[in-house]
């Protein structure tokens, strides 16, 4: 008999981005245990919330908290490199004292003002020698600080949060190459934190994805086009990991009012009836929205880009600095 290939070979398995992010957040918390990160975060969050953040369970809080700590560290790094005074919680950007700032910082501020005014283009700013000078000076400061174990630990924290930022950008924007490169950078931290299952799975996942263009060229083209994430809207920053979408839609429906865990039972017949009825319920929902003229929609502005959230982040970052 002629052997036929199994249909299972046509299935491409992917590593869930949301749970990978959770594991990496937990790795950061594990590696920074005893460093004082817990106490620093307690200046903004409650102690019990910080425990969940460092374990990777409270994802949104952990991302925000780690980013604020990283911002505070960069402020201290700028102070060390360019003699920039620390900002105060009661002063605005226009009130900040710049009399003792380094000359490079003053030139950078002038370049920024010209860019905002439209006198400079993005290309001219990127080619500016001022940015190169700033980068060179920051690298020199980091090399000097790396001689201290404590400074080296916190610089490593900045590196981990930078990897986290790149991973979030890849998921939100649908950047396939950045997605793979950021997971590759996560590997040593998974191993160091003892997250062996994710270290192994991520390694196998990267090996499979590197051959995706050869083994599954059609799937590869879709992933390169940004279709490895799901979108509910056509906005640029609206990509969602597939496992996150499952958690938000399917699992929420199962566990919310009227779901399987609310008195219906979890038998095979109940599960089949509930799953098969979901398309009909969606049609009824759409019809009721059309009838009543009421629809579910979101604001064009991301909640983290609002003025209130920016002000709250600024105040909390300054609280961490103090």
């Amino acid at each position: 008999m002629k052997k036929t290939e199994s249909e299972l070979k046509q299935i491409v398995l992917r590593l869930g981005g949301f749970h990978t992010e959770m594991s990496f957040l937990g790795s950061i918390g594990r590696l920074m245990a005893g460093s004082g990160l817990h106490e620093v975060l307690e200046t903004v969050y409650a102690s019990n919330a910080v425990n969940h953040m460092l374990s990777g369970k409270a994802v949104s809080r952990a991302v925000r908290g780690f980013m604020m700590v990283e911002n505070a560290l960069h402020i201290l790094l700028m102070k060390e490199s360019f003699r920039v005074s620390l900002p105060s919680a009661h002063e605005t950007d226009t009130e900040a004292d710049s009399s003792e700032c380094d000359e490079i910082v003053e030139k950078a501020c002038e370049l920024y003002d010209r860019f905002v005014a439209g006198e400079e283009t993005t290309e001219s700013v990127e080619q500016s020698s001022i940015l190169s000078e700033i980068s060179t000076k920051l690298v020199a400061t980091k090399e000097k600080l790396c001689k201290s174990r404590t400074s080296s630990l916190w610089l490593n924290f900045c590196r981990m949060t930078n990897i986290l930022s790149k991973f979030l950008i890849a998921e939100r924007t649908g950047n396939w190459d950045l997605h793979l490169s950021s997971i590759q950078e996560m590997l040593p931290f998974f191993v160091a934190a003892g997250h062996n299952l994710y270290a192994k799975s991520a390694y196998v996942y990267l090996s499979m994805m590197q051959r995706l263009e050869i083994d599954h060229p059609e799937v590869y083209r879709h992933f390169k086009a940004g279709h490895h994430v799901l979108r509910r809207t056509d906005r640029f920053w609206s990509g969602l990991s597939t496992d996150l979408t499952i958690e938000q839609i399917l699992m929420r429906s199962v566990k919310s009012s009227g779901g399987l865990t609310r008195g219906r039972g979890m038998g095979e017949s109940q599960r089949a009836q509930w799953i098969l009825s979901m398309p009909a319920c969606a049609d009824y929902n759409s019809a009721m929205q059309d009838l009543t003229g009421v629809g579910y929609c979101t604001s064009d502005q991301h909640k983290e880009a609002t003025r209130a959230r920016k002000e709250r982040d600024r105040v909390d970052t300054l609280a961490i600095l103090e």
Side-chain angles (χ1 to χ4, degrees):
M1 294 180 61
K2 184 179 179 180
K3 293 184 178 180
T4 58
E5 289 190 357
S6 173
E7 294 182 355
L8 296 178
K9 290 186 177 181
Q10 303 301 320
I11 298 176
V12 178
L13 296 178
R14 288 198 57 238
L15 198 64
F18 176 64
H19 290 86
T20 302
E21 178 187 350
M22 290 178 61
S23 180
F24 189 64
L25 289 171
S27 299
I28 296 176
R30 179 71 178 274
L31 295 174
M32 296 299 294
S35 65
L37 179 61
H38 191 286
E39 290 74 13
V40 169
L41 291 173
E42 281 185 342
T43 60
V44 179
Y45 295 98
S47 178
N48 193 38
V50 174
N51 292 331
H52 290 292
M53 291 164 60
L54 296 179
S55 66
K57 302 300 181 183
V59 176
S60 59
R61 288 182 177 180
V63 171
R64 179 176 179 265
F66 290 172
M67 296 298 179
M68 288 193 300
V69 174
E70 183 193 19
N71 288 338
L73 291 172
H74 277 109
I75 291 174
L76 295 175
L77 188 62
M78 291 290 291
K79 177 179 179 293
E80 179 71 19
S81 302
F82 304 105
R83 303 192 304 274
V84 179
S85 59
L86 292 177
S88 171
H90 305 289
E91 69 179 8
T92 61
D93 294 338
T94 57
E95 297 172 345
D97 182 18
S98 60
S99 58
E100 298 182 357
C101 289
D102 195 287
E103 183 180 356
I104 300 178
V105 179
E106 294 180 357
K107 292 181 179 179
C109 292
E110 293 174 359
L111 179 64
Y112 174 77
D113 292 336
R114 293 198 302 271
F115 176 72
V116 172
E119 300 174 3
E120 297 281 351
T121 63
T122 305
E123 292 76 14
S124 63
V125 171
E126 291 177 348
Q127 297 173 2
S128 174
S129 60
I130 299 175
L131 298 184
S132 301
E133 294 178 16
I134 292 176
S135 178
T136 302
K137 200 161 186 178
L138 286 175
V139 169
T141 304
K142 289 180 181 179
E143 290 177 352
K144 183 177 67 174
L145 292 174
C146 281
K147 297 178 182 179
S148 168
R149 291 185 177 181
T150 303
S151 300
S152 180
L153 175 65
W154 285 103
L155 288 174
N156 202 39
F157 172 80
C158 291
R159 181 188 172 193
M160 289 187 287
T161 52
N162 183 45
I163 295 173
L164 176 64
S165 299
K166 290 191 289 186
F167 181 77
L168 292 175
I169 292 172
E171 292 296 292
R172 285 294 190 174
T173 61
N175 190 327
W176 176 245
D177 294 330
L178 185 60
H179 167 81
L180 295 181
S181 63
S182 56
I183 291 182
Q184 184 176 0
E185 293 183 58
M186 290 180 183
L187 283 176
F189 298 102
F190 284 144
V191 176
H195 289 207
N196 298 322
L197 292 179
Y198 267 92
K200 177 182 177 181
S201 300
Y203 179 80
V204 174
Y205 172 69
L206 289 173
S207 301
M208 293 172 57
M209 294 303 105
Q210 288 174 353
R211 291 188 50 84
L212 188 64
E213 186 176 7
I214 300 173
D215 298 337
H216 303 278
E218 185 66 24
V219 176
Y220 175 78
R221 284 194 293 270
H222 282 291
F223 284 178
K224 284 288 288 184
H227 297 156
H228 65 284
V229 295
L230 304 178
R231 294 180 182 272
R232 296 180 182 175
T233 64
D234 58 352
R235 300 174 198 161
F236 178 72
W237 191 262
S238 63
L240 296 173
S241 302
T242 51
D243 53 337
L244 175 60
T245 307
I246 292 174
E247 293 285 345
Q248 289 180 336
I249 298 178
L250 182 60
M251 298 307 296
R252 182 169 59 183
S253 300
V254 170
K255 297 179 180 179
S256 61
S257 178
L260 292 176
T261 60
R262 298 302 179 93
R264 291 192 178 188
M266 292 289 286
E268 183 177 352
S269 60
Q270 287 88 351
R271 291 199 304 269
Q273 183 180 10
W274 184 81
I275 292 174
L276 293 175
S277 65
M278 291 304 293
C281 292
D283 292 338
Y284 278 113
N285 187 18
S286 299
M288 290 299 296
Q289 290 185 41
D290 295 338
L291 177 64
T292 59
V294 177
Y296 295 104
C297 58
T298 57
S299 172
D300 290 336
Q301 188 179 31
H302 197 278
K303 67 177 183 179
E304 294 183 359
T306 60
R307 182 176 299 178
R309 172 55 72 89
K310 291 179 181 179
E311 178 61 21
R312 180 184 171 190
D313 289 345
R314 187 184 75 86
V315 172
D316 289 344
T317 302
L318 294 177
I320 291 174
L321 278 172
E322 295 174 358

